[in-house]
Amino acid sequence: MWIQPEEVLLAGALWVSERANPFFILQRRRGHGRGGGLSGLLVGTLDVVLDSSARVAPYRILLQTADSQIYWNIACGSSRKEITEHWDWLETNLLQTISIFDSDEDVTTFVKGKISGIIAEENRLKQGEEQEEDSGKFREAELKMRRLFGMPEEEKLVNYYSCSYWKGRVPRQGWLYLSVNHLCFYSFLLGKEVTLVVQWTEVTQLEKNSTLVFPESVRVSTRHTEHFFSMFLNINDTFKLMEQLANIAMRQLLDNEAFAADRSLPKPCKTLKNVSALKRDFDARAKNERYRLMFRLTQDERLDGHTDCTLWTPFAKMHVVGQLFISNNYICFNSREEDLCQLIIPLREVSIVEKADSSSVLPCPVSISTKNKMNFLFANLKDRDFLVQRISDFLQRTPDSLWGDANPLSLIGHSASSSASSPTGSDAVNKRRHYHRGLPTASQGLLQLYHCNAPEDLGPKAMKEKMKEEAWNIHFSEFGRGVCMYRTSRTRELVLNGIPENLRGELWLLFSGAQNEMATHPGYYGDLVEQAMGLCSLATEEIERDLHRSMPEHRAFQNEMGIAALRRVLTAYAHRNPGIGYCQAMNIVTSVLLLYCPEEEAFWLLVALCERMLPDYYNTRVVGALVDQGVFEELTRAFLPQLYEHMQELGVISTISLSWFLTLFLSVMPFDSAVLLVDCFFYEGIKVIFQVALSVLHDNMDALLSCNDEGEAMTILGRYLDNVVNKQTASPPVPHLHALLTSGDDPPPEIDIFDLIKSSYERFGTLRSDVIEQMRFKQRLKVIQSLEDTAKRSVVRAMMTESAFSIEELEELYCLFKSKHMTSCYWGSSSSAAERHDPSLPYLEQYRIDLVQFTQLFAALAPWVCGSHTPTLSSRLFRLLDQNQDGLVNFKEFITGLSGMYHGDMTEKLKLLYKLHLPPALCPEEAESALEATHFFTEDVPRESSFLSDLDILGQQEVTSGEAGKEAGGDGEEKKEEKVKDYRYYLRMWAKEKEPKTETIKDLPRMNQEQFIDLCKTLYNMFSEEPLEQQLYHSIATVASLLLRIGEVGKKFNNGGKRMEDAAAQAPPSDPQRGEGLNEAESGEAQMCQALADAQLEPAPPQTSDEETKDDTSVSSYSMVSSGSLQCEDITDDTVLIGGGEQRRGSVLDVDWSITFEQVLASLLTEPPLVDYFEKKIDIQGKMAACKAQRGVERQASSASDHELAQHSI
């Protein structure tokens, strides 16, 4: 066992060295084992005589360094085997590593830290096995992770491991924390701190390898770097958990459903009281997936437990050793020896579960009987009583079968609804439904409908088909029929020889697991058809377009009956699964299913294909097919390395494999041959398709190696597949359109499909499903990250013309925007992930963020920093950019706002700032007084002026339409000419509406007094951290005073004296002594001055000298100096100050006062400091660098400044 390192001064006393290397010594205690002489006897006697607690383990390992006389005892063992295992581990994992250290002190420190980490992890694992875990330690680790990496409470730690992280050629011993969304590592050794945070969504490759440089390590690759971790106590356990977490992250990138809290995992908001609750749930999730994959069960099936046992097989008259699996709806058995026996018993079919009598021959047996009179005998069960109790509990929860014993679903392949006769009274109702039992396709496959009236064929092929049916009937009588059938190697042989046409639908349904789903959802398909038919969507339009392209050469789809059945199945599935909807190639596969199955069965087979057997194949980006294409390339490199190199040069593999996999060879091979591959696929899964694809390449290897271009290789493979024939088929041949197009003068020899399948098993039968799943995971990382890179390039290319940012800046901004979207998805937000990510939208609009995320990005990236006023400003910009008012902003809108602030000219920047202080950017809640809030809901002057441009446009349209009406009324002689004129007029009007309206500064509405004061406050806050702060304060004070006067003059000019008197009469006197002498201009200037005083957030700037004050006063008679607490000191006699808030509340808002954007712009242009400020070019790189440094460690919302954020490095 490993022990805490302790000093040993005399290494040779009482010990004998057996092995040694430059750093470690393995020693045996004298007196233990053979030999030892007198000294050995003395030591042995001493050890025995002394108290048992003082006895010393007979073996130990010491750490030694060349320059030190001190040794460190790091391991001890009671047997040679135990100590040898520790020695081998040190030589494999540590010896090469510590040899690169320069100083012996570093070696000692590193090894001691490593051993301490191993001991800590061993103790934690032992506690976990005994289920006496110290929740305090795990909780402490979780809190430490959040403190070290700044994670919020929503981020849950799954597990943590002691390991080494390689930084360059030097390993850093520390702790690896695996949370739900991040991989984190922390080390503090010899005064050096290493902190690493990687989001799982950024991982592009994850693999376990062993090299000379990195002994048995895990490599984690991202787009920009690679990270190596090694020296794990249990590397396999760590790597499996990493795979799971990375796989979940890829699902999150692929669709929104992965963000929803999985029922098998704890809710993220709950506090974990038990140490490894989350880890155990991940382990259970992995077991569930393997269990469902092994027995083709539905996604909601949860494994309850499994145990070793034996099963009595009556057909072989022997007990088969294997494992019994129990879940909420099934009892399953799988033999230890592959393909010997597999069994699936749905609990809905179970009638009796009882404990049989034990004997020495048959210990602890359990007998299970089903409704169709089959009996299964399991024995050698360790905890029989508990097992029977669990099965009984599940049986009580299982609803009674909807089908009686007279017609058990497990006995026949067709649905009960197809064989049961409907009452006469409901016939009329059924006829009005799109799908009802009276339809021919509701009870039979299309082939049966077309062959029912055909004369009986007595030819040799037909007789061979009869023999196949008879062979299957014999198999059924011996192994059972239906879902409870024993599946053995004999079953596989019959499948490889071809399933008879009459049994194909039934056996497809059985082997795929679709029969179980159909049995548990009676009437589901009919209801779904009724809901879906008549709805119009993009999927239904694509379905209608492809209906007549689905096997047009087959007569079953040359009439409305076959087309209507295909339409119903495809439309129902698109309605069931909008995430997939409809994808090309689904029509071809569904057509084949309908040939052999009734509609409902074909629908459930399609569900099994799309959701379980070919995962992600038929989504919008055919991710599953691309993943399997990568797997196929990897298999080609492994099995056919010479051909792989040549095919990669030609780029053929990626072209051919997509069509082969998407349609299961149905589109590239004659129908009668391809349908045999579908037989094998439903029984064996995707491995058959890989085997046959490899066999096709192998058969054409010589021809392909001599090809010079992609076209030639495609022709060779196309002609080969066209000539794969089924010589045993009894059906009339179906013409193969592809073959007609590619046939040449000298067609190649025919290839028998049975020979092709047989050779594929002989050459490539070693392929295993679990290996394929492992390869799929590896390729899924590559494919999804590649698709994300494609999306990024498309977005950047589209935004290049609409913003002034460079390509690199846009790419980085896209990464930051997407990262903010992703982290908000799993750390909670006010809107769901599905609302913010819609893969069906264009790339520019797919990712969207809400107000909270926008505010965080604005604070980190915007050039206008306004202190505590920044959230208010970002909220206003968000409302301005959110044109459709759905509470979300996409990347295009985000860049539009950011580009205006960074790259717009002075006019554009001021226009944006001006808009941020007007509706719709300004909301009623932000109003500073009750009076202004009222203005948002009453028809007063500022409200009208705010929407002046809109009213003008409406007025112009009315005038134009009125003129058009007059012209139309005057020209009443010829109605035809009148109609033509109206038609053209409306076309012109429609085109004019579609044209993007270019907004000019004259289109901007006028600004009232309160909005103007708010604008001045914003400007003051913007200048608070500028180097030329004083000059900017003087300038904005000058401009504000000038604009207040301009607004006052404009009011008098436009409105006359009547409205002024009304406004004065409505204002209550705020100060009896001064109320009479107070005019509107004085009130406005005073309010602005007080507002600026209230807005001051930063420490007081230094006092200005008297000379500067005098100079500023001479510039403008309305200048205000910002000093101390922003008291307006040097002012003229015309300015009146009102300091208190009470007086301000008593003052009336001047509802007639307003200014235009042109006046604001002209006034600002008179002040050079303001012009310089707004024309100054700002580089976004620094802001992005600070935000990027913070991005990996997404911290909780804080009010830290940009300087503080930049100091957080990863």
Side-chain angles (χ1 to χ4, degrees):
M1 59 181 287
W2 301 106
I3 60 175
Q4 287 292 347
E6 54 188 17
E7 286 186 7
V8 176
L9 295 177
L10 297 173
L14 308 180
W15 293 85
V16 179
S17 298
E18 293 198 339
R19 294 189 189 181
N21 59 44
F23 297 98
F24 301 103
I25 304 174
L26 190 155
Q27 293 186 329
R28 174 178 55 82
R29 191 160 179 82
R30 294 180 187 272
H32 183 80
R34 296 179 181 177
L38 182 61
S39 60
L41 288 172
L42 288 172
V43 174
T45 304
L46 184 66
D47 289 345
V48 172
V49 170
L50 291 177
D51 185 71
S52 58
S53 61
R55 289 182 184 176
V56 181
Y59 296 95
R60 70 179 182 182
I61 298 176
L62 300 180
L63 168 67
Q64 65 167 0
T65 54
D67 299 332
S68 175
Q69 297 299 319
I70 298 175
Y71 295 78
W72 294 89
N73 189 6
I74 60 173
C76 64
S78 58
S79 66
R80 186 178 295 275
K81 181 181 177 183
E82 181 186 0
I83 203 70
T84 304
E85 287 177 355
H86 286 59
W87 179 266
D88 293 341
W89 190 90
L90 289 171
E91 286 194 326
T92 304
N93 292 282
L94 284 187
L95 198 57
Q96 294 177 347
T97 303
I98 59 179
S99 62
I100 64 176
F101 282 92
D102 296 325
S103 111
D104 291 337
E105 186 181 349
D106 291 352
V107 171
T108 304
T109 307
F110 177 81
V111 174
K112 286 167 64 179
K114 181 64 191 173
I115 299 302
S116 299
I118 290 175
I119 292 169
E121 188 168 2
E122 274 185 336
N123 292 336
R124 190 171 57 82
L125 290 175
K126 285 178 184 176
Q127 291 171 351
E129 289 170 359
E130 296 167 0
Q131 294 188 352
E132 295 176 356
E133 300 158 317
D134 182 4
S135 60
K137 285 189 177 180
F138 190 87
R139 182 66 180 162
E140 184 182 339
E142 192 169 35
L143 292 173
K144 185 178 179 182
M145 178 198 76
R146 290 180 189 152
R147 178 175 54 80
L148 290 173
F149 308 107
M151 300 290 179
E153 282 201 20
E154 290 82 3
E155 188 69 6
K156 294 300 178 186
L157 176 66
V158 180
N159 212 354
Y160 61 104
Y161 302 92
S162 170
C163 71
S164 292
Y165 169 57
W166 291 77
K167 200 167 178 64
R169 293 188 62 192
V170 180
R172 303 282 184 177
Q173 178 63 31
W175 289 92
L176 180 71
Y177 298 88
L178 302 182
S179 69
V180 176
N181 304 297
H182 294 86
L183 177 152
C184 309
F185 178 83
Y186 179 80
S187 171
F188 186 82
L189 199 63
L190 303 176
K192 293 184 179 179
E193 186 179 40
V194 177
T195 307
L196 173 74
V197 178
V198 178
Q199 287 186 3
W200 289 117
T201 51
E202 297 293 326
V203 175
T204 58
Q205 194 170 0
L206 188 66
E207 61 182 351
K208 183 175 60 175
N209 52 18
S210 182
T211 62
L212 289 174
V213 182
F214 303 112
E216 201 172 24
S217 62
V218 173
R219 181 175 70 173
V220 180
S221 304
T222 63
R223 286 179 177 82
H224 308 295
T225 185
E226 291 182 340
H227 307 286
F228 290 89
F229 301 91
S230 65
M231 298 179 222
F232 292 95
L233 187 63
N234 189 341
I235 191 170
N236 292 325
D237 179 56
T238 310
F239 186 70
K240 283 179 182 177
L241 182 57
M242 286 175 147
E243 279 188 327
Q244 273 189 284
L245 294 168
N247 212 9
I248 291 172
M250 292 307 104
R251 298 298 313 176
Q252 291 173 352
L253 287 175
L254 191 58
D255 56 42
N256 302 309
E257 295 174 4
F259 287 112
D262 193 293
R263 281 174 291 179
S264 67
L265 295 177
K267 297 288 183 182
C269 59
K270 290 183 180 177
T271 303
L272 296 176
K273 295 180 181 178
N274 202 338
V275 174
S276 56
L278 199 55
K279 173 67 167 64
R280 279 203 297 267
D281 273 66
F282 272 102
D283 292 341
R285 181 175 184 152
K287 289 179 181 177
N288 283 332
E289 288 175 359
R290 287 196 296 271
Y291 170 64
R292 291 193 295 258
L293 195 66
M294 186 186 300
F295 298 105
R296 305 272 173 81
L297 302 177
T298 56
Q299 295 295 325
D300 57 350
E301 199 63 27
R302 298 284 181 263
L303 178 65
D304 186 66
H306 59 89
T307 182
D308 293 333
C309 70
T310 60
L311 170 67
W312 171 252
T313 52
F315 53 88
K317 302 293 189 292
M318 61 182 288
H319 292 278
V320 176
V321 179
Q323 279 192 318
L324 182 70
F325 299 84
I326 297 176
S327 59
N328 44 340
N329 293 301
Y330 298 93
I331 300 171
C332 302
F333 175 84
N334 196 42
S335 61
R336 187 175 296 172
E337 185 181 337
E338 193 176 3
D339 288 335
L340 188 60
C341 181
Q342 192 183 71
L343 185 65
I344 301 172
I345 309 173
L347 290 179
R348 66 177 185 275
E349 296 296 326
V350 173
S351 57
I352 300 172
V353 178
E354 58 184 352
K355 291 181 278 190
D357 295 333
S358 287
S359 66
S360 58
V361 181
L362 202 65
C364 301
V366 171
S367 173
I368 298 176
S369 303
T370 63
K371 295 175 182 176
N372 59 351
K373 311 307 181 200
M374 291 185 74
N375 294 307
F376 304 97
L377 188 63
F378 299 94
N380 291 282
L381 294 161
K382 292 179 181 177
D383 197 347
R384 180 175 64 164
D385 295 339
F386 177 75
L387 179 73
V388 171
Q389 184 60 46
R390 290 302 293 164
I391 296 175
S392 300
D393 293 343
F394 284 128
L395 280 171
Q396 288 176 0
R397 301 175 203 164
T398 305
D400 293 335
S401 176
L402 298 175
W403 297 274
D405 292 340
N407 185 22
L409 185 65
S410 59
L411 199 57
I412 59 171
H414 303 305
S415 67
S417 60
S418 65
S419 57
S421 58
S422 58
T424 314
S426 63
D427 284 349
V429 178
N430 284 340
K431 291 290 174 61
R432 290 197 295 268
R433 292 170 65 92
H434 291 92
Y435 173 80
H436 54 85
R437 297 170 185 171
L439 287 172
T441 52
S443 57
Q444 290 179 298
L446 291 170
L447 276 183
Q448 284 181 295
L449 290 172
Y450 281 95
H451 290 168
C452 59
N453 297 323
E456 187 177 359
D457 188 359
L458 299 176
K461 291 184 178 179
M463 295 309 295
K464 188 149 191 174
E465 186 79 2
K466 293 282 186 185
M467 290 171 64
K468 283 184 182 179
E469 285 188 39
E470 190 58 33
W472 274 99
N473 287 328
I474 294 170
H475 184 273
F476 291 148
S477 64
E478 191 175 352
F479 296 87
R481 186 171 188 172
V483 286
C484 298
M485 179 176 72
Y486 292 97
R487 306 173 194 207
T488 66
S489 54
R490 173 62 181 156
T491 315
R492 174 194 272 182
E493 289 175 14
L494 288 174
V495 171
L496 296 185
N497 288 329
I499 298 176
E501 283 188 1
N502 293 339
L503 297 174
R504 192 162 267 151
E506 174 187 345
L507 292 174
W508 283 0
L509 206 68
L510 173 65
F511 296 143
S512 66
Q515 185 164 326
N516 291 318
E517 250 186 312
M518 189 174 76
T520 53
H521 295 82
Y524 176 85
Y525 171 69
D527 295 339
L528 201 62
V529 170
E530 294 308 310
Q531 295 170 20
M533 295 301 288
L535 297 178
C536 188
S537 64
L538 181 62
T540 56
E541 291 176 8
E542 292 177 344
I543 289 169
E544 289 298 326
R545 186 185 62 213
D546 286 350
L547 282 176
H548 295 279
R549 304 176 188 172
S550 310
M551 295 189 69
E553 67 276 11
H554 201 289
R555 60 175 185 162
F557 297 98
Q558 293 171 358
N559 58 71
E560 186 54 33
M561 183 171 67
I563 295 293
L566 182 61
R567 178 187 291 113
R568 284 192 291 270
V569 173
L570 290 175
T571 306
Y573 186 77
H575 188 68
R576 166 191 165 89
N577 193 341
I580 291 178
Y582 170 77
C583 173
Q584 283 189 335
M586 284 174 69
N587 59 322
I588 296 172
V589 175
T590 309
S591 302
V592 176
L593 299 179
L594 281 169
L595 288 176
Y596 298 100
C597 309
E599 269 185 57
E600 188 174 7
E601 294 180 8
F603 169 79
W604 287 113
L605 278 170
L606 184 63
V607 169
L609 272 174
C610 296
E611 298 175 13
R612 293 199 306 278
M613 301 190 73
L614 296 175
D616 302 322
Y617 258 59
Y618 299 108
N619 56 25
T620 51
R621 297 187 281 184
V622 292
V623 172
L626 292 172
V627 167
D628 280 352
Q629 176 182 300
V631 172
F632 182 55
E633 289 186 17
E634 204 169 332
L635 290 172
T636 307
R637 181 169 55 191
F639 287 101
L640 308 169
Q642 186 181 0
L643 181 61
Y644 170 78
E645 297 296 334
H646 187 64
M647 296 282 276
Q648 284 295 99
E649 293 174 7
L650 300 179
V652 176
I653 295 180
S654 59
T655 308
I656 58 174
S657 56
L658 206 57
S659 60
W660 292 3
F661 295 144
L662 272 174
T663 62
L664 303 175
F665 284 96
L666 288 165
S667 63
V668 295
M669 196 182 281
F671 171 75
D672 295 324
S673 304
V675 79
L676 289 174
L677 293 182
V678 179
D679 292 343
C680 301
F681 168 75
F682 277 122
Y683 186 77
E684 292 273 34
I686 194 65
K687 62 170 280 189
V688 176
I689 304 300
F690 284 124
Q691 287 176 189
V692 172
L694 287 169
S695 195
V696 169
L697 292 184
H698 182 273
D699 289 350
N700 293 275
M701 186 183 296
D702 295 336
L704 291 171
L705 286 173
S706 62
C707 289
N708 297 317
D709 57 45
E710 179 186 357
E712 189 179 351
M714 292 290 293
T715 304
I716 289 170
L717 292 171
R719 296 186 68 185
Y720 175 88
L721 291 170
D722 290 338
N723 287 275
V724 176
V725 296
N726 179 4
K727 297 178 180 178
Q728 297 181 13
T729 180
S731 304
V734 179
H736 184 45
L737 295 183
H738 191 265
L740 297 176
L741 295 173
T742 58
S743 60
D745 298 331
D746 51 341
E750 292 182 342
I751 302 96
D752 194 305
I753 181 64
F754 293 101
D755 294 339
L756 179 61
I757 293 174
K758 184 180 178 182
S759 66
S760 74
Y761 272 90
E762 289 172 352
R763 294 185 186 127
F764 310 107
T766 54
L767 269 181
R768 293 167 53 91
S769 298
D770 55 344
V771 174
I772 290 174
E773 286 302 315
Q774 185 69 27
M775 295 168 74
R776 274 179 165 176
F777 163 75
K778 184 178 175 182
Q779 294 297 327
R780 192 177 291 117
L781 288 177
K782 290 182 182 178
V783 168
I784 294 180
Q785 297 292 14
S786 174
L787 290 171
E788 291 296 310
D789 291 340
T790 302
K792 182 172 73 173
R793 287 193 296 270
S794 301
V795 167
V796 169
R797 195 163 50 244
M799 289 304 300
M800 279 297 294
T801 57
E802 301 192 26
S803 73
F805 290 114
S806 66
I807 295 178
E808 293 77 15
E809 289 172 343
L810 281 173
E811 286 182 347
E812 191 58 46
L813 286 170
Y814 178 81
C815 291
L816 291 170
F817 186 89
K818 178 185 157 190
S819 175
K820 182 62 66 176
H821 163 86
M822 297 300 295
T823 50
S824 65
C825 284
Y826 47 66
W827 282 349
S829 179
S830 55
S831 54
S832 69
E835 291 174 347
R836 284 176 279 120
H837 181 216
D838 187 354
S840 63
L841 292 174
Y843 285 130
L844 273 173
E845 302 173 18
Q846 278 190 11
Y847 291 112
R848 293 173 287 179
I849 57 176
D850 59 19
L851 177 59
V852 176
Q853 301 145 32
F854 181 85
T855 302
Q856 292 169 355
L857 280 179
F858 182 90
L861 296 173
W864 298 341
V865 181
C866 304
S868 62
H869 195 59
T870 303
T872 305
L873 204 63
S874 64
S875 301
R876 293 178 181 178
L877 181 60
F878 181 84
R879 285 190 289 272
L880 192 66
L881 297 175
D882 184 17
Q883 296 177 355
N884 57 359
Q885 297 182 352
D886 61 350
L888 299 169
V889 166
N890 61 39
F891 183 68
K892 181 179 180 181
E893 294 166 339
F894 173 73
I895 289 297
T896 302
L898 206 59
S899 182
M901 288 188 282
Y902 272 99
H903 299 293
D905 56 18
M906 181 178 177
T907 304
E908 290 296 321
K909 290 178 181 178
L910 286 174
K911 188 160 70 170
L912 177 60
L913 203 59
Y914 185 84
K915 283 182 177 180
L916 293 179
H917 295 80
L918 296 172
L922 197 69
C923 67
E925 290 79 8
E926 292 176 338
E928 290 191 12
S929 66
L931 183 58
E932 186 187 1
T934 309
H935 291 165
F936 281 88
F937 306 103
T938 55
E939 294 183 7
D940 50 20
V941 176
R943 177 70 173 176
E944 291 171 4
S945 64
S946 298
F947 297 94
L948 188 62
S949 56
D950 296 336
L951 294 173
D952 289 344
I953 293 169
L954 288 172
Q956 291 172 4
Q957 288 179 353
E958 288 175 2
V959 171
T960 312
S961 60
E963 292 173 357
K966 289 179 182 177
E967 291 175 5
D971 190 11
E973 296 178 0
E974 295 184 6
K975 291 183 180 179
K976 188 176 181 181
E977 288 182 10
E978 184 183 62
K979 287 181 181 177
V980 170
K981 186 177 290 184
D982 287 347
Y983 172 69
R984 290 175 180 173
Y985 163 72
Y986 284 116
L987 271 181
R988 284 197 304 272
M989 290 294 293
W990 179 78
K992 188 178 290 186
E993 287 177 5
K994 291 294 179 185
E995 287 178 4
K997 295 180 175 64
T998 54
E999 186 182 48
T1000 64
I1001 58 176
K1002 292 186 177 181
D1003 295 329
L1004 293 172
R1006 301 175 72 88
M1007 179 177 279
N1008 66 28
Q1009 194 176 78
E1010 190 76 8
Q1011 293 163 355
F1012 171 67
I1013 293 172
D1014 197 27
L1015 173 63
C1016 292
K1017 286 171 63 178
T1018 301
L1019 289 169
Y1020 177 87
N1021 284 317
M1022 285 169 60
F1023 302 151
S1024 61
E1025 295 181 6
E1026 287 297 313
L1028 301 177
E1029 185 178 0
Q1030 290 302 312
Q1031 292 89 326
L1032 288 168
Y1033 285 159
H1034 288 304
S1035 299
I1036 194 59
T1038 304
V1039 169
S1041 300
L1042 178 61
L1043 284 170
L1044 281 168
R1045 288 292 179 181
I1046 290 174
E1048 182 62 28
V1049 172
K1051 182 189 70 172
K1052 292 178 181 177
F1053 179 77
N1054 290 325
N1055 299 322
K1058 185 177 183 298
R1059 296 192 63 174
M1060 290 168 56
E1061 292 172 4
D1062 293 340
Q1066 291 175 1
S1070 59
D1071 187 343
Q1073 297 178 356
R1074 299 187 56 185
E1076 295 177 0
L1078 186 67
N1079 59 36
E1080 286 91 340
E1082 292 169 343
S1083 173
E1085 290 185 19
Q1087 287 180 24
M1088 183 201 66
C1089 181
Q1090 179 61 33
L1092 295 182
D1094 294 342
Q1096 185 171 8
L1097 302 172
E1098 302 299 325
Q1103 292 280 348
T1104 53
S1105 63
D1106 294 338
E1107 290 80 3
E1108 288 173 340
T1109 305
K1110 291 175 182 176
D1111 292 339
D1112 289 327
T1113 310
S1114 64
V1115 173
S1116 171
S1117 60
Y1118 302 106
S1119 297
M1120 292 182 290
V1121 182
S1122 175
S1123 61
S1125 58
L1126 196 67
Q1127 298 297 323
C1128 301
E1129 295 176 353
D1130 298 295
I1131 52 176
T1132 62
D1133 296 332
D1134 297 327
T1135 304
V1136 180
L1137 285 178
I1138 300 177
E1142 295 176 3
Q1143 290 174 320
R1144 184 167 179 256
R1145 281 196 295 273
S1147 307
V1148 65
L1149 275 174
D1150 196 338
V1151 295
D1152 295 325
W1153 187 98
S1154 65
I1155 55 172
T1156 63
F1157 177 72
E1158 295 99 311
Q1159 292 167 340
V1160 174
L1161 178 62
S1163 302
L1164 285 169
L1165 287 171
T1166 62
E1167 293 292 327
L1170 291 175
V1171 174
D1172 294 341
Y1173 175 83
F1174 282 105
E1175 287 187 345
K1176 179 177 62 178
K1177 295 296 180 185
I1178 307 171
D1179 186 16
I1180 198 174
Q1181 293 290 345
K1183 296 269 188 183
M1184 287 195 301
C1187 190
K1188 187 178 179 181
Q1190 182 199 14
R1191 177 169 61 108
V1193 187
E1194 191 65 45
R1195 302 185 182 278
Q1196 293 172 292
S1198 64
S1199 57
S1201 66
D1202 290 340
H1203 175 67
E1204 291 170 337
L1205 292 177
Q1207 290 178 336
H1208 293 299
S1209 60
I1210 297 175

